[in-house]
Amino acid sequence: MNHVPTGTPSADVSFAGARPLRVGVFGGAFDPPHWAHRALAEAALSQLGLDVLHILPTGQAWHKSRVLTPATHRQAMCALAFGDLPFTRIDAREIERQGPSYTADTLRELATEYPGAQLFLVLGADQLLAFKSWVRWPEVLAQATLAVANRAVNIGADGALDQVQEMDLSGVDLPFERLQMPLKNISATAVRAHIERPVSRSGALDVLVPEAVAGYISHNHLYQNHS
Ligand code: ATP
């Protein structure tokens, strides 16, 4: 397997007992990982009763037009953002795979590695709304239960951070489980934009990302010429 185990070293997932293993799958660009990603991982671990959560930084994101930060940095930041969570593995398979990252391929591999397991695909609401644009989405749906946390959208005319509401999922005609999580109005786009403003580089980045990630970004001068 290509993943790098992190978290509780003694978490041997082969001793989960008679019930099917519950395996979480949380993919993203993580460019960079921020507090909402971390909250989503924690919600999935506790509310789904996962035996293991694979965190998968994407390789080539077929659905994002911008060029991503080199995968080594995103993988390192994931280790810093999630590494202390129990039962969590930073899984580099999509980075190491040739070609675009398709979740259907990843789920197929994980289903082979964990025979008989129940797979949960952890998503934010924006990704649920875009789900039917995913490559081979019916296959994804057949392989995994969708576990979805809502996501904030700005409603203030001036983009005021406190004027937010939940995304409307009432029209979604797909089966999914809800993850309860306080709305967090954070996106990686906003984090990158924040860092690009020189005056805020030394500012309170750890409001947006875990402190170790903020240190890594600063040390490696990431996102300073964000476009
Ligand atoms: P970008 O702003 O660059 O598009 P992002 O903040 O959406 O990035 P991704 O790495 O693309 O971050 O997201 C990975 C997963 O985390 C997706 O399923 C996304 O829906 C979810 N997610 C990201 N931010 C939030 C948030 N604030 N609330 C709930 N889910 C989120």
Side-chain angles (χ1 to χ4, degrees), residues 100-207:
S101 297
Y102 295 132
T103 302
D105 296 330
T106 301
L107 291 174
R108 190 179 288 191
E109 289 176 11
L110 286 167
T112 305
E113 289 161 26
Y114 296 102
Q118 186 172 4
L119 302 182
F120 293 88
L121 186 63
V122 178
L123 300 171
D126 57 309
Q127 290 302 311
L128 180 68
L129 291 171
F131 187 76
K132 287 189 178 174
S133 70
W134 286 26
V135 173
R136 308 201 320 263
W137 68 263
E139 188 181 328
V140 173
L141 205 56
Q143 294 264 29
T145 301
L146 306 185
V148 181
N150 217 313
R151 187 162 185 173
V153 280
N154 269 327
I155 52 170
D158 56 358
L161 290 183
D162 55 347
Q163 291 183 33
V164 296
Q165 66 182 22
E166 293 191 342
M167 289 185 165
D168 180 7
L169 300 180
S170 60
V172 174
D173 60 351
L174 296 162
F176 68 96
E177 288 189 15
R178 279 190 186 264
L179 294 172
Q180 301 305 324
M181 179 180 115
L183 278 186
K184 289 195 187 307
N185 191 18
I186 305 178
S187 68
T189 303
V191 176
R192 295 191 300 271
H194 176 89
I195 297 164
E196 192 187 27
R197 290 191 291 274
V199 71
S200 60
R201 254 177 224 160
S202 59
L205 188 54
D206 54 5
V207 174

Side-chain angles (χ1 to χ4, degrees), residues 12-22 49-51 115-118:
D12 184 337
V13 295
S14 64
F15 291 106
R19 70 169 172 82
L21 276 178
R22 297 168 73 85
L50 299 178
D51 298 298
Q118 186 172 4

